[in-house]
Amino acid sequence: MPVDTVISLVRARHAGHRGDGFRLGLAVEGGGMRGIVSGGMLLALRDLGLLNSFDAFYGTSSGALNIAYAFGGSDWDGLSVYYDHLTKGFVRRQRRWDVTKPVLDMDYAFEEVMSKVVPIGWENVRVARRPLYAVLTDVDDVRAALMDMRQMGSDGIEYLKAGAWMPWLAGKPPVVNGTRYIDGGLLCPDPVYAALDDGCTHVLLLNSSPQGRWPAVPRSRPLLRPVLNRWQPGLGDAYVRVRVRWDADRASACFDHDVVLGEATVRRVAAPSGSHHVAQLTHRRDVLFDGARVGYQTITDLFGADGRRPYFSLTLR
């Protein structure tokens, strides 16, 4: 079959044509609660039988959690983490900033919800046939660390928690096996960079924000830089450098055709403009439900040939 785009490569692989010599990666963006959108996209790819088309998977923050749930054997129960559980105890409602009690209760999210209530199927993750990478920021070495979930052992949930640990909102960096880690998006703001650094020739990138609506450049950037530099010399400077690159790549982003980044061909997929309103800390269940629906439908519209669509729809008020 002819392969001239990322989409056609995915289709050709699905049809059984694998001797193409390419390395095809799936990059899954997180963004806190916006991860429910990329989670819906990932679930749709699974339902369409397309996950086997990829050679490796890369996720930042909640994007890595989505990959863990998908390959751990979860179905919609993995997405229920967002709309049934994190809506109740994840974001602390406090009137003023308290350094002893960060805004996000990460222990509740990971030690309670993702370990006990809706546990990740780690036994399935560990026997996956292809690499399942979570991107973490290594504070001590000032680098983005690419870690295969299949090899995390009994510390898997601790690594995923550290990889989603947002400065300011979650507190000081946690330590896992003697190393401090924080949100992988700090030094790898777009999981496509991890796929490119790992040698992918083609990448399908799942964005959690809708087209044309990027997260705003945070006003905290100048404030966060010295804090990160105090945690580890050079960490804040590296954070600002990668953000400048990300700003430039976002400004030239396209959603209707492939683009070339470095030496790879990348297709960025995002929901239509204005189709959902899920933000980093959204806790309204109807908004989250609709984010899942829109993410799922975005993929079925792109790849589905048999008219399959999500089985629920909510109207925002």
Side-chain angles (χ1 to χ4, degrees):
M1 294 181 66
V3 174
D4 54 2
T5 67
V6 172
I7 300 300
S8 63
L9 178 57
V10 174
R11 293 185 184 278
R13 292 276 188 91
H14 180 57
H17 304 276
R18 298 198 61 90
D20 49 57
F22 300 125
R23 180 172 174 82
L24 174 61
L26 180 66
V28 185
E29 188 183 43
M33 299 298 275
R34 280 200 318 275
I36 195 169
V37 181
S38 59
M41 293 178 177
L42 193 61
L43 195 59
L45 287 171
R46 188 210 64 179
D47 288 351
L48 293 170
L50 297 174
L51 289 185
N52 288 332
S53 297
F54 299 93
D55 298 305
F57 300 81
Y58 309 84
T60 50
S61 188
S62 52
L65 298 176
N66 292 337
I67 293 172
Y69 271 115
F71 283 89
S74 294
D75 203 284
W76 286 91
D77 55 325
L79 291 183
S80 76
V81 166
Y82 295 95
Y83 57 74
D84 270 344
H85 305 290
L86 297 186
T87 53
K88 293 180 286 190
F90 179 44
V91 181
R92 293 188 174 103
R93 306 300 167 193
Q94 50 196 48
R95 294 185 176 180
R96 62 181 64 183
W97 177 261
D98 183 351
V99 295
T100 66
K101 187 179 292 186
V103 173
L104 301 182
D105 189 341
M106 299 293 281
D107 288 340
Y108 166 76
F110 287 84
E111 307 300 335
E112 180 66 23
V113 175
M114 300 175 200
S115 295
K116 300 175 183 178
V117 182
V118 187
I120 295 170
W122 286 105
E123 64 282 357
N124 294 323
V125 169
R126 295 182 186 115
V127 297
R129 292 182 295 170
R130 296 175 179 85
L132 310 175
Y133 291 116
V135 186
L136 292 80
T137 293
D138 184 327
V139 173
D140 299 321
D141 288 341
V142 189
R143 67 184 181 91
L146 202 60
M147 305 188 69
D148 192 340
M149 292 184 231
R150 302 176 301 173
Q151 301 170 4
M152 288 179 175
S154 59
D155 296 316
I157 199 68
E158 293 301 319
Y159 279 116
L160 291 186
K161 178 169 72 172
W165 196 275
M166 297 180 237
W168 289 122
L169 297 177
K172 291 184 178 180
V175 178
V176 184
N177 289 328
T179 300
R180 291 178 298 167
Y181 295 103
I182 49 179
D183 192 328
L186 193 83
L187 294 186
C188 184
D190 198 322
V192 71
Y193 298 143
L196 300 182
D197 291 343
D198 194 42
C200 286
T201 60
H202 295 73
V203 184
L204 184 69
L205 170 59
L206 307 182
N207 277 149
S208 56
S209 295
Q211 296 179 22
R213 185 184 174 187
W214 301 104
V217 174
R219 296 178 181 178
S220 61
R221 227 181 245 189
L223 300 175
L224 189 55
R225 181 177 188 172
V227 172
L228 295 173
N229 280 335
R230 283 198 297 271
W231 285 355
Q232 182 68 19
L235 181 61
D237 300 330
Y239 159 71
V240 171
R241 284 196 302 272
V242 300
R243 280 308 198 273
V244 170
R245 175 190 179 186
W246 190 41
D247 292 342
D249 286 341
R250 289 191 303 176
S252 59
C254 297
F255 298 95
D256 57 354
H257 59 81
D258 295 353
V259 298
V260 175
L261 284 180
E263 298 182 356
T265 303
V266 177
R267 176 63 181 268
R268 187 183 294 271
V269 179
S273 177
S275 59
H276 76 81
H277 302 277
V278 184
Q280 187 179 45
L281 299 181
T282 294
H283 62 279
R284 275 183 52 183
R285 296 185 73 217
D286 59 335
V287 177
L288 292 167
F289 264 125
D290 216 50
R293 178 192 66 79
V294 167
Y296 193 100
Q297 184 171 344
T298 297
I299 293 300
T300 55
D301 284 345
L302 186 62
F303 287 104
D306 58 0
R308 275 188 283 176
R309 291 293 182 269
Y311 53 79
F312 66 87
S313 178
L314 295 177
T315 301
L316 296 180
R317 297 184 183 277

